[in-house]
Amino acid sequence: MVNALDLLETLAEETHNLTVSYLAHKLGLSRNKVTRLLAILEKRELVVCDAISGGYSLGLSAVGLAQSFLRNVTGKGGGD
C-alpha cells in the first residue's frame, strides 16, 4: 500500500505523463511492480494512461478524492 501511495504522490508532483521506466527508477521499484500498481490504480480511475505517449498521470477519481477531502476539512460536506 505504501508503494501505491508513493506512486500517486509522484504522479501528483510531476507536470507531465510519466513512463513506467521513469516511475520504477524514481521509486526504486521493479518495472513489473510499478506496472501491477498502475493497473490496479487505473481500474479505480486514480490514474490514466495516455494512449499516444504511454505515460501515466492522475485520473479523475484522484480529483474526486481531493474534493471530498476539501469539503470535509472546510465543513462544507452537506451531511450535517
Side-chain angles (χ1 to χ4, degrees):
M1 183 158 142
V2 172
N3 291 333
L5 294 174
D6 290 341
L7 181 57
L8 288 171
E9 286 177 351
T10 300
L11 289 169
E13 292 169 358
E14 302 284 341
T15 58
H16 56 282
N17 292 338
L18 303 178
T19 64
V20 172
S21 295
Y22 176 84
L23 290 165
H25 176 73
K26 175 114 176 161
L27 298 170
L29 300 172
S30 71
R31 286 176 45 96
N32 285 339
K33 177 81 170 180
V34 170
T35 300
R36 287 193 308 270
L37 289 171
L38 287 168
I40 293 165
L41 295 171
E42 193 171 14
K43 285 181 185 175
R44 302 291 300 260
E45 298 181 354
L46 290 166
V47 302
V48 292
C49 181
D50 182 89
I52 296 171
S53 71
Y56 288 83
S57 60
L58 289 179
L60 289 177
S61 288
V63 175
L65 286 174
Q67 288 175 332
S68 294
F69 170 76
L70 290 173
R71 276 195 306 272
N72 290 332
V73 168
T74 61
K76 296 180 183 174
D80 298 350

